[in-house]
Amino acid sequence: MFDLEDWLTLLRDWRYFAEGLGQTVKASGLALLLALGIGVVVGVLSVAPWRPVRGLTRVYVEFFQNTPLVVHAFFLYYGLPHLGISLPVLAVGVLALGVYTGAYISEVIRAGIQSIHRGQLEAAYSQGFTYLQAMRYIILPQAFRVVMPPLTNQMVNLIKNSAVLAMIAGDELMYRADGWSSYNFLYRQAYTAVALLYLCLTLPLATVARRLEQRLLGRESREVPL
Amino acid sequence: MRGWVRSVVAGVLALGVAVLAGCGSAAEPASGGEGGGSGEQPAQVSKLEEIKRRGYLIVGVKADVPGFGYLNPETNMYEGYEIDLAKKIAEEIFKVPGQVKFEPVTAKTRIGLLQSGQIDMIIATVTVTEQRKQEVDFSPVYYTDGIQLLVKKDSGITGLKDLDGKTIGVAQGATTRARLEEKAKELGVTPKFAEFPDYPSILAALQAGRVDAFSVDGAILKGYQMQDPSTVILPEKYSEEPYAIATRQGDDDLRDLVAQVITRMQESGELQKLQEKWGLTGQ
């Protein structure tokens, strides 16, 4: 039996979910900018010719890749205020998601840089470029093409991970679904609806990633001389 | 372009199938009478019979409400007024003590667990409401509580009227929010609300200054107030919260047995004695 009435209840309250979706988009979008910024800087520094700097990037990446996102979010939300720093919950979400995903993105960028032949860097040096100039004008533009597909996957992960904010009253999509369902007892409807809404955000991204990957493969095979 | 369309369609279809499957399985037990949910047993087996065959009663209780249902970290045993009630009911069913298993629940999880048959009954500070009566059966009331506010002593807050524009931390799925919103409207103030999955999170949020007040039924607040002496419970009560034991609709024999036990304990004064034992009588 299809419980039409329950689904209509959900449709009637669509605005409540739409507001949650808006908050998810806002938190994810801002976190993405932060993560990309951190990822590019740390990625470039992680292959820099300066050993202490490389060491520091390693510490950052290993720490954030190997500890749970929930722990970071709880630390910022419950822990920091006791040190006199009380960030609004949106800032907590952006910071936690951005710094966490930044660690993954920096690894993607590093792999991209390392996939570019070393001769490119040597050629740039011979033309008088500094390390950072060579990265900016020679290496990164080429690496970016290679890293687009894995980068997009990280964006998808970031959006999915934003559901963690429900645990700290983040007022985003998952939080709204939790509150609404436990009040109306319509768990199946609520969580099905939010799954579909998350899909609306992530599926287009995932599809773009696959298409970029295919285009990349296609171009490379064409570049192979006969 | 076509690949893009195809993947969207595939995703939506997969979800659609999952939804339909979910609907199907949920509808079956309802149409098949009060079977325990397992297909092996004949549909006519009553809940009480099912419990007796299993050999123990499964009760959903609170693990984080000192005095009512509390998993004591020192003994790793459940204790409290509601735990004692559960033990009494199990003893009534099996005629010997100890045949009871406690399953920790929260305000958010408890109704779902009962309806899916994972627990036999809920004795976990459940307030009787008209809306919940549509979902579950209730026993006679075994305790009446009221919503109160827990605030930091140095906050200067003396009641709901001081919370205009401030944030109140409440539990997800609890009746607290709706009741407070009504009262706030009468007082002409509009507080904000933040919902948390469990009570310790709300206390942590209060301590961190994330919320200005922690609100739930007074008896529950008492345990948290004792944990943090820098907080104080405000005397004003914003509701009448009658607590009763919830059983699944259709489990009539179990519901009747529970009602008998509670009525008898009420008449013999045993309920009163248990409340005194757990310090729940001081209003």
Side-chain angles (χ1 to χ4, degrees), chain B residues 188-226:
Chain B
V189 293
T190 41
K192 287 179 281 192
F193 289 90
E195 297 181 22
F196 294 87
D198 52 63
Y199 303 126
S201 297
I202 314 178
L203 182 67
L206 180 71
Q207 289 168 333
R210 292 284 172 191
V211 299
D212 302 289
F214 169 3
S215 183
V216 69
D217 306 353
I220 301 175
L221 284 181
K222 199 180 271 179
Y224 290 97
Q225 195 280 324
M226 287 190 295

Short mmCIF file of all heavy atoms in Angstrom, two decimals, chain B residues 188-226:
data_model
loop_
_atom_site.label_atom_id
_atom_site.label_comp_id
_atom_site.label_asym_id
_atom_site.label_seq_id
_atom_site.Cartn_x
_atom_site.Cartn_y
_atom_site.Cartn_z
N GLY B 188 4.48 36.70 24.59
CA GLY B 188 4.91 37.71 23.62
C GLY B 188 6.41 37.74 23.38
O GLY B 188 6.97 38.76 23.01
N VAL B 189 7.07 36.60 23.59
CA VAL B 189 8.50 36.53 23.28
C VAL B 189 8.74 35.46 22.21
O VAL B 189 7.93 34.54 22.06
CB VAL B 189 9.36 36.20 24.53
CG1 VAL B 189 9.31 37.34 25.51
CG2 VAL B 189 8.89 34.91 25.19
N THR B 190 9.84 35.59 21.45
CA THR B 190 10.14 34.61 20.41
C THR B 190 11.57 34.10 20.54
O THR B 190 12.50 34.67 19.96
CB THR B 190 9.96 35.20 18.99
OG1 THR B 190 10.49 36.53 19.00
CG2 THR B 190 8.53 35.21 18.54
N PRO B 191 11.74 33.04 21.35
CA PRO B 191 13.07 32.45 21.46
C PRO B 191 13.40 31.62 20.21
O PRO B 191 12.51 31.22 19.47
CB PRO B 191 12.95 31.56 22.69
CG PRO B 191 11.51 31.26 22.83
CD PRO B 191 10.75 32.37 22.17
N LYS B 192 14.70 31.36 20.00
CA LYS B 192 15.12 30.45 18.94
C LYS B 192 15.34 29.07 19.56
O LYS B 192 15.54 28.95 20.76
CB LYS B 192 16.43 30.95 18.30
CG LYS B 192 16.21 32.17 17.42
CD LYS B 192 17.51 32.65 16.81
CE LYS B 192 18.31 33.45 17.80
NZ LYS B 192 19.44 34.18 17.26
N PHE B 193 15.32 28.04 18.72
CA PHE B 193 15.51 26.69 19.24
C PHE B 193 16.65 25.99 18.51
O PHE B 193 16.84 26.19 17.32
CB PHE B 193 14.23 25.87 19.08
CG PHE B 193 13.14 26.30 20.01
CD1 PHE B 193 12.23 27.28 19.63
CD2 PHE B 193 13.03 25.76 21.27
CE1 PHE B 193 11.24 27.71 20.48
CE2 PHE B 193 12.04 26.18 22.14
CZ PHE B 193 11.14 27.15 21.75
N ALA B 194 17.39 25.16 19.25
CA ALA B 194 18.38 24.28 18.63
C ALA B 194 18.08 22.87 19.14
O ALA B 194 17.94 22.67 20.34
CB ALA B 194 19.79 24.70 19.01
N GLU B 195 17.93 21.93 18.21
CA GLU B 195 17.59 20.55 18.61
C GLU B 195 18.83 19.67 18.58
O GLU B 195 19.63 19.73 17.65
CB GLU B 195 16.53 20.00 17.65
CG GLU B 195 15.23 20.78 17.73
CD GLU B 195 14.17 20.21 16.79
OE1 GLU B 195 14.26 19.03 16.41
OE2 GLU B 195 13.26 20.98 16.43
N PHE B 196 18.95 18.82 19.61
CA PHE B 196 20.11 17.94 19.71
C PHE B 196 19.64 16.49 19.85
O PHE B 196 18.55 16.24 20.35
CB PHE B 196 20.97 18.33 20.91
CG PHE B 196 21.61 19.68 20.76
CD1 PHE B 196 20.93 20.83 21.13
CD2 PHE B 196 22.87 19.81 20.20
CE1 PHE B 196 21.51 22.07 20.97
CE2 PHE B 196 23.45 21.06 20.04
CZ PHE B 196 22.76 22.18 20.42
N PRO B 197 20.50 15.55 19.42
CA PRO B 197 20.07 14.15 19.44
C PRO B 197 20.00 13.54 20.84
O PRO B 197 19.36 12.53 21.04
CB PRO B 197 21.11 13.42 18.57
CG PRO B 197 22.25 14.36 18.44
CD PRO B 197 21.76 15.74 18.70
N ASP B 198 20.67 14.10 21.85
CA ASP B 198 20.61 13.53 23.20
C ASP B 198 20.82 14.62 24.25
O ASP B 198 21.24 15.72 23.92
CB ASP B 198 21.66 12.42 23.37
CG ASP B 198 23.03 12.91 22.98
OD1 ASP B 198 23.52 13.83 23.64
OD2 ASP B 198 23.61 12.37 22.01
N TYR B 199 20.55 14.32 25.52
CA TYR B 199 20.63 15.33 26.58
C TYR B 199 22.06 15.79 26.89
O TYR B 199 22.28 16.98 27.09
CB TYR B 199 19.94 14.85 27.86
CG TYR B 199 18.49 14.48 27.65
CD1 TYR B 199 18.00 13.23 28.02
CD2 TYR B 199 17.61 15.37 27.06
CE1 TYR B 199 16.67 12.88 27.81
CE2 TYR B 199 16.28 15.03 26.84
CZ TYR B 199 15.82 13.79 27.22
OH TYR B 199 14.51 13.46 27.01
N PRO B 200 23.03 14.85 26.97
CA PRO B 200 24.39 15.33 27.26
C PRO B 200 24.86 16.38 26.25
O PRO B 200 25.58 17.32 26.61
CB PRO B 200 25.23 14.06 27.19
CG PRO B 200 24.28 12.97 27.56
CD PRO B 200 22.96 13.38 26.97
N SER B 201 24.45 16.25 24.99
CA SER B 201 24.82 17.25 23.98
C SER B 201 24.27 18.62 24.34
O SER B 201 24.92 19.63 24.11
CB SER B 201 24.29 16.87 22.60
OG SER B 201 24.84 15.67 22.17
N ILE B 202 23.03 18.62 24.89
CA ILE B 202 22.43 19.92 25.21
C ILE B 202 23.16 20.56 26.39
O ILE B 202 23.40 21.76 26.41
CB ILE B 202 20.92 19.78 25.54
CG1 ILE B 202 20.22 18.90 24.50
CG2 ILE B 202 20.26 21.15 25.58
CD1 ILE B 202 18.75 18.67 24.78
N LEU B 203 23.53 19.72 27.40
CA LEU B 203 24.28 20.27 28.53
C LEU B 203 25.61 20.82 28.04
O LEU B 203 26.02 21.92 28.43
CB LEU B 203 24.52 19.18 29.60
CG LEU B 203 25.25 19.69 30.84
CD1 LEU B 203 24.39 20.67 31.62
CD2 LEU B 203 25.69 18.54 31.74
N ALA B 204 26.28 20.07 27.13
CA ALA B 204 27.55 20.54 26.58
C ALA B 204 27.36 21.86 25.84
O ALA B 204 28.19 22.76 25.93
CB ALA B 204 28.15 19.49 25.64
N ALA B 205 26.23 21.98 25.12
CA ALA B 205 25.94 23.21 24.37
C ALA B 205 25.69 24.37 25.33
O ALA B 205 26.11 25.49 25.07
CB ALA B 205 24.74 23.00 23.46
N LEU B 206 25.06 24.09 26.47
CA LEU B 206 24.82 25.13 27.48
C LEU B 206 26.14 25.59 28.08
O LEU B 206 26.41 26.77 28.21
CB LEU B 206 23.88 24.60 28.58
CG LEU B 206 23.54 25.59 29.69
CD1 LEU B 206 22.61 26.68 29.19
CD2 LEU B 206 22.90 24.88 30.88
N GLN B 207 26.99 24.61 28.40
CA GLN B 207 28.29 24.93 29.00
C GLN B 207 29.15 25.72 28.03
O GLN B 207 29.94 26.57 28.43
CB GLN B 207 29.00 23.64 29.42
CG GLN B 207 28.34 22.97 30.61
CD GLN B 207 28.86 21.56 30.85
OE1 GLN B 207 29.29 20.89 29.92
NE2 GLN B 207 28.80 21.12 32.09
N ALA B 208 29.00 25.42 26.73
CA ALA B 208 29.81 26.10 25.72
C ALA B 208 29.19 27.44 25.32
O ALA B 208 29.72 28.13 24.45
CB ALA B 208 29.97 25.21 24.49
N GLY B 209 28.04 27.77 25.91
CA GLY B 209 27.38 29.02 25.56
C GLY B 209 26.69 28.97 24.21
O GLY B 209 26.32 30.01 23.66
N ARG B 210 26.51 27.77 23.66
CA ARG B 210 25.83 27.63 22.37
C ARG B 210 24.33 27.89 22.52
O ARG B 210 23.67 28.32 21.60
CB ARG B 210 26.02 26.22 21.83
CG ARG B 210 27.43 25.94 21.43
CD ARG B 210 27.71 26.62 20.14
NE ARG B 210 29.11 26.55 19.79
CZ ARG B 210 29.63 27.28 18.80
NH1 ARG B 210 28.85 28.08 18.11
NH2 ARG B 210 30.90 27.18 18.53
N VAL B 211 23.80 27.50 23.68
CA VAL B 211 22.39 27.76 23.97
C VAL B 211 22.34 28.49 25.31
O VAL B 211 23.26 28.38 26.13
CB VAL B 211 21.55 26.45 24.04
CG1 VAL B 211 21.58 25.73 22.71
CG2 VAL B 211 22.02 25.56 25.16
N ASP B 212 21.27 29.27 25.52
CA ASP B 212 21.15 30.04 26.75
C ASP B 212 20.36 29.30 27.82
O ASP B 212 20.41 29.64 28.98
CB ASP B 212 20.47 31.38 26.44
CG ASP B 212 21.26 32.15 25.40
OD1 ASP B 212 22.35 32.62 25.74
OD2 ASP B 212 20.80 32.23 24.24
N ALA B 213 19.59 28.28 27.37
CA ALA B 213 18.83 27.48 28.33
C ALA B 213 18.69 26.06 27.79
O ALA B 213 18.71 25.85 26.58
CB ALA B 213 17.45 28.09 28.54
N PHE B 214 18.60 25.12 28.70
CA PHE B 214 18.42 23.70 28.36
C PHE B 214 17.03 23.38 28.90
O PHE B 214 16.74 23.60 30.07
CB PHE B 214 19.53 22.92 29.08
CG PHE B 214 19.41 21.41 29.10
CD1 PHE B 214 18.37 20.72 28.46
CD2 PHE B 214 20.40 20.67 29.75
CE1 PHE B 214 18.31 19.34 28.50
CE2 PHE B 214 20.33 19.28 29.80
CZ PHE B 214 19.29 18.63 29.17
N SER B 215 16.15 22.93 28.02
CA SER B 215 14.79 22.70 28.48
C SER B 215 14.31 21.29 28.18
O SER B 215 14.43 20.79 27.08
CB SER B 215 13.82 23.69 27.83
OG SER B 215 12.53 23.48 28.35
N VAL B 216 13.77 20.68 29.21
CA VAL B 216 13.14 19.37 29.11
C VAL B 216 12.38 19.19 30.41
O VAL B 216 12.34 20.10 31.24
CB VAL B 216 14.20 18.27 28.85
CG1 VAL B 216 15.09 18.05 30.05
CG2 VAL B 216 13.53 16.96 28.43
N ASP B 217 11.78 18.04 30.64
CA ASP B 217 11.02 17.83 31.85
C ASP B 217 11.92 17.95 33.09
O ASP B 217 13.06 17.50 33.10
CB ASP B 217 10.37 16.44 31.81
CG ASP B 217 9.54 16.27 30.54
OD1 ASP B 217 9.39 17.27 29.81
OD2 ASP B 217 9.08 15.17 30.27
N GLY B 218 11.35 18.53 34.14
CA GLY B 218 12.12 18.86 35.34
C GLY B 218 12.90 17.70 35.94
O GLY B 218 14.05 17.88 36.34
N ALA B 219 12.29 16.52 35.98
CA ALA B 219 12.96 15.38 36.61
C ALA B 219 14.23 15.01 35.85
O ALA B 219 15.21 14.56 36.43
CB ALA B 219 12.02 14.19 36.66
N ILE B 220 14.21 15.21 34.54
CA ILE B 220 15.39 14.91 33.73
C ILE B 220 16.46 15.98 33.98
O ILE B 220 17.64 15.67 34.11
CB ILE B 220 15.00 14.85 32.23
CG1 ILE B 220 13.92 13.77 32.02
CG2 ILE B 220 16.21 14.58 31.39
CD1 ILE B 220 13.38 13.71 30.60
N LEU B 221 16.00 17.23 34.08
CA LEU B 221 16.95 18.32 34.32
C LEU B 221 17.70 18.14 35.63
O LEU B 221 18.87 18.49 35.76
CB LEU B 221 16.22 19.67 34.34
CG LEU B 221 15.79 20.26 33.00
CD1 LEU B 221 15.12 21.60 33.22
CD2 LEU B 221 16.99 20.42 32.07
N LYS B 222 17.01 17.60 36.63
CA LYS B 222 17.59 17.48 37.96
C LYS B 222 18.94 16.76 37.92
O LYS B 222 19.91 17.19 38.52
CB LYS B 222 16.62 16.74 38.89
CG LYS B 222 16.93 16.96 40.35
CD LYS B 222 15.96 16.22 41.25
CE LYS B 222 14.72 17.02 41.57
NZ LYS B 222 13.79 16.26 42.43
N GLY B 223 19.00 15.66 37.16
CA GLY B 223 20.24 14.90 37.05
C GLY B 223 21.36 15.73 36.45
O GLY B 223 22.52 15.64 36.88
N TYR B 224 21.03 16.55 35.46
CA TYR B 224 22.06 17.36 34.81
C TYR B 224 22.48 18.53 35.67
O TYR B 224 23.64 18.94 35.66
CB TYR B 224 21.57 17.81 33.43
CG TYR B 224 21.51 16.62 32.51
CD1 TYR B 224 20.33 15.94 32.29
CD2 TYR B 224 22.68 16.12 31.95
CE1 TYR B 224 20.29 14.81 31.51
CE2 TYR B 224 22.66 14.99 31.18
CZ TYR B 224 21.46 14.33 30.94
OH TYR B 224 21.45 13.21 30.19
N GLN B 225 21.53 19.07 36.44
CA GLN B 225 21.86 20.17 37.34
C GLN B 225 22.88 19.68 38.37
O GLN B 225 23.83 20.39 38.69
CB GLN B 225 20.59 20.68 38.03
CG GLN B 225 20.74 22.03 38.70
CD GLN B 225 21.40 21.90 40.06
OE1 GLN B 225 21.19 20.94 40.77
NE2 GLN B 225 22.25 22.87 40.38
N MET B 226 22.71 18.44 38.82
CA MET B 226 23.65 17.90 39.81
C MET B 226 25.03 17.71 39.22
O MET B 226 26.03 17.85 39.90
CB MET B 226 23.10 16.59 40.37
CG MET B 226 21.93 16.83 41.32
SD MET B 226 21.42 15.37 42.25
CE MET B 226 20.84 14.28 40.98
#
